[in-house]
Amino acid sequence: MASSKETYCLCGQPYNIGQFMIECDCCREWFHGSCVDVKIYQSDDIDKYHCPKCSQTYGPSVLKIRTNNHRADRYELGAESKSAQIGSPAWVRALAARAMRPVPAALQRMRAYQFTEEFVRDNEFTRPILFNTPEGLDMQMPNPATFTVRSVLRYCGAQLEVEVIDVRRQSTLRMPLGDFVDYFETPPEQRDEKVLNVLSLEFSDTSMARLVEPPAMARRLDWAERVWPSAERPPRPAVQRYCLISAAGSYTDFHVDFGGTTVWYHVLHGRKIFYLIPPTAANLALYQQWSASNQHNEKFFGDLVEWYGTAELLPGQTLFIPTGWIHAVLTPEDSLVFGGNFLHSYAIEMQLQIYEIERKVETPIMFRYPLFESMHWYAGAHLLTLLRRHNEESQDEDFIINESQHKYPAPDLPSLLVRGIKILTNALKEWHALKSTDTQKRDNIPKCLNSVQLVRELCRELRTLEKKTTSSSSKDKDYKPKNHSPSKSHSKKHSSQNTKKSLKLTLPKPIMHMTLNSEFKDEKHNKDIYQETKVYNDKDIVYQNDRGYTTQDVKTYNGVQEKVYIDSKEGILSDKGYTYAYEDQYDHETNGYIDRHGKKSGSVLRIKLE
């Protein structure tokens, strides 16, 4: 490779490792593909390249001669006697001609309100789920009437490097997004059977992120949202928002999403066909053998297992695929799809199992879930807090004397979650033991966590939970209902508990009063005199009351015998009753007597209540 200080091409710029360049077979000069109008995906078809200057002397570039339509290399010699390879145009056409297999065991259709965390927690999310409409999923998508692939280019930028899959070769290359969009907008009949597929355009850091919001269930379960510290460095793995741009004829061979993640897809334009295989022990063992085989690109994995199902995804539909499911995808027509991946607490066992398979078949790091082990360390800390809180609430129940004081007992942790925590604890224990000899294991442990203490505390809380579970089960087994037949002591106790204490009511003194003319007056300036009437010896005794209580603040007690003293004479009030006002501020009260002063006559009315 020439020195980076040298200049090349018609533009006279130095070599750039991130920019595609091609060498002229005549003058041996290097040129940027963008300067001589040669795309990276076209270079494989060129046998001898002639630069613009040399083409004037030696003629145009010489293309390779095709020999077949069923092999990954369409220029392969002796291809007639060889079988078709996955991804070739002939093979894709044969797959598209197969009949659909809508097996109920491979797909369930639901409405959004049925897909809840309780549904996942109860281990019901074991099959892919298809939603016909996005209503109720609480997700945000661009308007399909106005949003196109050109819109993706506008939001993400033409120079953004994207990974593109050459479907025929089943290989990956990198190219600017602008070049891919130019290819995608070319009519299919003019693409020269070149099929390209973009699957890993993660756009969380672009301006397009505000247009797409994953479904609410994905956000609620996602460890990246729940357990990864927001201020932690490095930032959380960016796998929540993917844009998939697939040309007609694209095919993605059987795979399990990295790290055993759960995945969701929403079709904005086009159509997708999924080939679905459940993650049974036998199927995963076959998948591991098939992935490690050198001939796996000539064998359709669906024919090796007991059965597989298909699901067709149309515009406006959404598909959730649970952890571990082995699936392939065929794109019959140009498609624009949004999707995302997430790890969660109810799939720990399968996630770790897929991670181990990836390690055994030596899956390249670029195709694995980023920071997988670090995410599980953070999840361990999160689940430790959950375990500790549950054990403390369960312990509090043992100290409750009165059963009525505990209306809401601590609910049991789901068995699926408890099993996952145990498996995760064992994995963390193993990773911690290897950190002394494996630098990668050591680097995967977050700096803010004490791995020794975390593993120890998880084991302790799991033992506590197991003891509580064993104790409660033995109590339920030995439980004998008590005889609650009524007795004298029980009746007395019950009657004493039902005895109601008298209540003392204190009402606030009104500030405004409504007159007969429906006008409100301030109490401070109210000069009206309200009168109270007592009956003594069949005569009404009227005395003036300047306190201004309204009838809403008084209550009448009938049949109360009262003694009244007027001019030092004692009498008994009749049982016609009298009015009594709450918050009545009397002048003074002594020995059960109450003195009330008239305002005009100055007479005193002394009342004794008995």
Side-chain angles (χ1 to χ4, degrees):
M1 184 63 64
S3 172
S4 59
K5 296 181 180 180
E6 299 182 25
T7 58
Y8 303 92
C9 190
L10 303 175
C11 61
Q13 297 296 319
Y15 171 73
N16 184 354
I17 192 173
Q19 193 171 3
F20 166 68
M21 299 187 73
I22 188 170
E23 183 187 26
C24 177
D25 289 292
C26 296
C27 64
R28 298 300 176 183
E29 292 290 336
W30 286 87
F31 299 88
H32 296 112
S34 57
C35 294
V36 293
D37 196 24
V38 177
K39 310 297 183 184
I40 186 173
Y41 59 86
Q42 297 172 337
S43 60
D44 290 337
D45 300 329
I46 300 175
D47 186 22
K48 294 184 181 296
Y49 172 69
H50 298 166
C51 68
K53 182 178 179 180
C54 294
S55 62
Q56 297 177 3
T57 304
Y58 301 101
S61 301
V62 179
L63 301 179
K64 296 178 181 178
I65 301 175
R66 302 178 189 176
T67 61
N68 68 87
N69 198 33
H70 64 281
R71 302 289 292 178
D73 182 5
R74 58 180 174 178
Y75 309 107
E76 182 180 357
L77 298 177
E80 297 82 2
S81 60
K82 298 180 180 179
S83 59
Q85 288 183 318
I86 291 174
S88 63
W91 188 92
V92 171
R93 284 194 292 267
L95 177 64
R98 289 194 180 197
M100 297 287 289
R101 295 186 179 183
V103 181
L107 184 69
Q108 55 183 331
R109 297 177 181 269
M110 292 179 60
R111 295 187 177 181
Y113 73 89
Q114 298 172 306
F115 189 46
T116 62
E117 186 171 352
E118 290 73 17
F119 177 83
V120 180
R121 181 190 63 195
D122 295 339
N123 201 19
E124 298 291 339
F125 184 32
T126 56
R127 292 180 295 164
I129 302 176
L130 179 64
F131 301 93
N132 289 325
T133 64
E135 297 178 1
L137 291 176
D138 191 17
M139 66 179 182
Q140 180 180 342
M141 289 292 152
N143 184 0
T146 58
F147 194 90
T148 63
V149 175
R150 182 61 59 173
S151 304
V152 178
L153 181 67
R154 184 171 63 253
Y155 282 104
C156 298
Q159 298 305 317
L160 177 66
E161 288 281 330
V162 294
E163 293 182 358
V164 181
I165 297 177
D166 186 332
V167 174
R168 180 164 188 160
R169 292 179 174 272
Q170 291 290 292
S171 60
T172 304
L173 53 93
R174 296 186 65 86
M175 60 189 299
L177 179 60
D179 289 352
F180 176 81
V181 172
D182 290 340
Y183 154 82
F184 190 83
E185 291 181 339
T186 303
E189 60 274 9
Q190 299 180 16
R191 294 173 184 168
D192 195 25
E193 291 190 340
K194 182 72 69 172
V195 181
L196 302 180
N197 192 7
V198 171
L199 298 178
S200 55
L201 174 52
E202 217 290 336
F203 57 91
S204 294
D205 294 332
T206 69
S207 59
M208 194 168 68
R210 59 185 176 84
L211 301 180
V212 177
E213 193 71 27
M217 274 300 299
R219 303 195 306 269
R220 189 175 301 120
L221 296 175
D222 190 1
W223 274 355
E225 296 280 351
R226 302 188 65 175
V227 308
W228 193 278
S230 57
E232 189 64 20
R233 290 291 181 269
R236 68 184 185 185
V239 295
Q240 290 81 26
R241 294 178 176 87
Y242 281 107
C243 180
L244 294 77
I245 310 174
S246 307
S250 294
Y251 173 77
T252 305
D253 206 3
F254 283 97
H255 65 283
V256 179
D257 278 273
F258 50 25
T261 52
T262 301
V263 60
W264 63 272
Y265 297 96
H266 178 81
V267 175
L268 198 70
H269 299 295
R271 186 162 58 99
K272 293 278 187 179
I273 297 177
F274 289 81
Y275 301 84
L276 305 165
I277 298 175
T280 63
N283 289 342
L284 289 176
L286 284 174
Y287 173 74
Q288 183 175 337
Q289 296 175 4
W290 173 80
S291 299
S293 172
N294 294 328
Q295 303 296 324
H296 75 277
N297 61 343
E298 296 182 359
K299 297 179 181 179
F300 183 67
F301 183 68
D303 295 336
L304 303 180
V305 297
E306 183 178 358
W307 63 269
Y308 70 89
T310 59
E312 185 177 22
L313 203 59
L314 302 176
Q317 293 182 334
T318 306
L319 179 69
F320 272 79
I321 301 179
T323 177
W325 274 72
I326 310 165
H327 57 282
V329 187
L330 174 66
T331 307
E333 58 188 71
D334 290 353
S335 300
L336 176 59
V337 178
F338 290 100
N341 298 71
F342 59 94
L343 298 167
H344 63 93
S345 300
Y346 303 106
I348 296 175
E349 182 176 7
M350 184 59 68
Q351 289 165 181
L352 291 173
Q353 188 174 351
I354 299 303
Y355 181 66
E356 183 64 17
I357 292 177
E358 292 174 344
R359 187 189 64 82
K360 290 181 178 179
V361 300
E362 298 180 350
T363 302
I365 298 297
M366 62 180 299
F367 297 129
R368 298 190 190 185
Y369 186 94
L371 302 173
F372 180 87
E373 292 188 10
S374 299
M375 180 66 77
H376 280 71
W377 280 106
Y378 282 124
H382 170 77
L383 294 172
L384 172 61
T385 303
L386 181 67
L387 263 180
R388 185 175 293 158
R389 185 185 304 119
H390 173 79
N391 289 339
E392 289 175 354
E393 291 178 356
S394 301
Q395 187 176 7
D396 291 342
E397 296 179 18
D398 298 337
F399 297 95
I400 295 176
I401 300 176
N402 189 350
E403 186 178 354
S404 62
Q405 297 176 1
H406 190 65
K407 297 182 179 179
Y408 305 102
D412 293 335
L413 291 178
S415 58
L416 183 64
L417 179 61
V418 175
R419 176 177 173 81
I421 296 175
K422 292 179 180 179
I423 294 174
L424 175 60
T425 302
N426 291 333
L428 296 180
K429 189 185 302 183
E430 180 182 350
W431 295 345
H432 169 73
L434 294 174
K435 75 173 187 177
S436 58
T437 57
D438 190 338
T439 57
Q440 187 176 4
K441 296 291 183 185
R442 182 171 63 250
D443 294 340
N444 286 333
I445 301 176
K447 305 300 181 184
C448 60
L449 294 181
N450 186 328
S451 59
V452 180
Q453 184 178 0
L454 176 58
V455 172
R456 184 185 299 120
E457 291 295 326
L458 276 171
C459 293
R460 179 185 303 171
E461 294 298 332
L462 284 172
R463 287 194 299 269
T464 302
L465 177 64
E466 188 173 357
K467 290 179 182 178
K468 296 292 294 184
T469 304
T470 305
S471 175
S472 61
S473 61
S474 61
K475 287 181 180 179
D476 294 340
K477 185 177 181 180
D478 299 336
Y479 173 75
K480 294 181 179 180
K482 295 182 179 180
N483 185 12
H484 294 287
S485 58
S487 60
K488 292 183 178 180
S489 59
H490 179 74
S491 301
K492 290 181 180 179
K493 183 178 180 180
H494 183 70
S495 60
S496 62
Q497 290 178 351
N498 291 337
T499 303
K500 295 183 179 180
K501 296 182 179 180
S502 57
L503 299 178
K504 182 178 180 180
L505 300 179
T506 303
L507 301 180
K509 191 174 181 179
I511 299 176
M512 304 293 290
H513 307 286
M514 186 174 69
T515 64
L516 296 177
N517 296 328
S518 299
E519 297 178 355
F520 288 93
K521 291 185 178 182
D522 193 339
E523 183 185 5
K524 294 181 180 179
H525 304 89
N526 185 19
K527 301 301 182 181
D528 295 342
I529 298 176
Y530 294 83
Q531 296 181 340
E532 290 187 5
T533 303
K534 298 292 181 180
V535 180
Y536 173 62
N537 292 337
D538 296 329
K539 295 181 180 180
D540 290 341
I541 302 174
V542 179
Y543 68 93
Q544 296 169 336
N545 180 5
D546 60 346
R547 307 190 186 281
Y549 297 111
T550 64
T551 56
Q552 294 178 346
D553 294 323
V554 299
K555 188 174 182 67
T556 302
Y557 295 88
N558 294 322
V560 179
Q561 296 292 322
E562 297 182 357
K563 290 183 179 180
V564 58
Y565 291 82
I566 300 180
D567 297 333
S568 301
K569 294 182 180 180
E570 180 177 328
I572 302 297
L573 292 176
S574 68
D575 58 358
K576 292 183 179 180
Y578 71 99
T579 57
Y580 175 77
Y582 293 108
E583 288 288 314
D584 198 356
Q585 304 294 329
Y586 302 110
D587 293 336
H588 65 274
E589 178 180 354
T590 56
N591 298 326
Y593 291 90
I594 300 175
D595 292 346
R596 296 192 180 183
H597 300 272
K599 195 167 185 179
K600 289 185 177 180
S601 61
S603 61
V604 177
L605 176 64
R606 171 167 288 189
I607 301 175
K608 182 176 182 181
L609 300 178
E610 293 183 345

